[in-house]
Amino acid sequence: MYDDLIPAFRTISLDDFRRPHIRTFADHQLTHGRGRATVHRMPCTLSSALGDAVPAGRLHHNVGRPLVIRRPRHADRIEWTTDHAATFLRYTHGADPPIADLTELLIGPGIRKGEALTLHEDDAYLDKRFMYIHWTLSAIDNTELAFTEPKTRSSRNWVALSDRATAAIAHRLAPDTLRGPNPAPGHGLVIHRHGRPLHPSTS
């Protein structure tokens, strides 16, 4: 994000900074193929920085407000039926087992995707049918993966496992599950590819 903003605006002093600068920047980004959601976040970041300059006396007002790009409308969510879930699981169990096992964790215990992606072997108690949620997986600037605190305090808790979720974890922990010769520091994750965590946006 800053790699886009800093080169675009570093030659403009705060005294000369005007709203049209932001509008021109956003239009340029859209014209060159950047997604509307990404372009929306850029002025948000810029507006936050400009907002800090107002109480410091460096600006009279935040020229980044209101935002020059409206928040994109989220696509309508489609709720899966039992048949939808069964069809997806039948396909992924053959085509992409980690995604199938991840989906079993999302459907059964009903935890968030980011929480499932941080589940470690030591946090799964299959004999007692419980697991413990410590973290959630976040993508910083959609690139750098980081383990962060769950969104709510109640999320950091014991979660009961369904029969299918227990089987999915057992499958991921089986000795013949491929872990790769050089696992990343995330080795020990239940859901992974070659020892590395899956990206939340692509899983």
Side-chain angles (χ1 to χ4, degrees):
M1 194 74 65
Y2 290 104
D3 290 341
D4 296 295
L5 294 170
I6 292 174
F9 298 115
R10 64 185 172 190
T11 61
I12 306 173
S13 69
L14 280 177
D15 291 337
D16 296 330
F17 200 83
R18 299 292 183 269
R19 188 173 178 79
H21 292 123
I22 306 174
R23 176 79 262 178
T24 300
F25 168 78
D27 290 343
H28 176 81
Q29 295 293 320
L30 291 171
T31 300
H32 286 75
R34 301 299 291 272
R36 193 168 186 85
T38 299
V39 177
H40 170 263
R41 288 194 295 269
M42 291 178 183
C44 285
T45 301
L46 181 61
S47 176
S48 177
L50 293 173
D52 291 340
V54 175
R58 302 189 65 190
L59 283 177
H60 293 296
H61 68 283
N62 184 351
V63 296
R65 288 289 182 182
L67 296 174
V68 298
I69 296 288
R70 292 183 180 180
R71 181 187 296 274
R73 183 176 179 270
H74 290 293
D76 294 335
R77 293 184 177 181
I78 299 175
E79 293 187 7
W80 278 11
T81 64
T82 302
D83 289 340
H84 289 149
T87 299
F88 180 80
L89 286 170
R90 278 195 299 270
Y91 173 77
T92 53
H93 272 299
D96 196 340
I99 294 297
D101 292 330
L102 169 63
T103 304
E104 295 283 10
L105 287 177
L106 302 182
I107 293 176
I111 60 176
R112 296 181 177 91
K113 183 192 296 185
E115 295 166 354
L117 292 175
T118 62
L119 180 64
H120 277 70
E121 297 177 19
D122 293 341
D123 299 324
Y125 300 83
L126 301 187
D127 56 333
K128 296 182 174 64
R129 301 296 180 92
F130 279 100
M131 63 182 176
Y132 191 79
I133 301 298
H134 285 282
W135 311 101
T136 188
L137 189 65
S138 301
I140 302 172
D141 288 338
N142 206 36
T143 54
E144 181 184 352
L145 298 181
F147 284 19
T148 58
E149 295 282 346
K151 288 185 177 180
T152 62
R153 180 172 296 180
S154 61
S155 294
R156 188 170 177 147
N157 208 341
W158 292 97
V159 177
L161 293 172
S162 64
D163 290 343
R164 293 182 65 109
T166 301
I169 295 174
H171 177 237
R172 300 314 312 157
L173 300 183
D176 59 348
T177 298
L178 182 62
R179 295 179 182 277
N182 298 303
H187 183 53
L189 291 171
V190 171
I191 305 296
H192 60 84
R193 292 193 195 281
H194 311 301
R196 292 170 174 79
L198 278 63
H199 195 291
S201 67
T202 58
S203 56

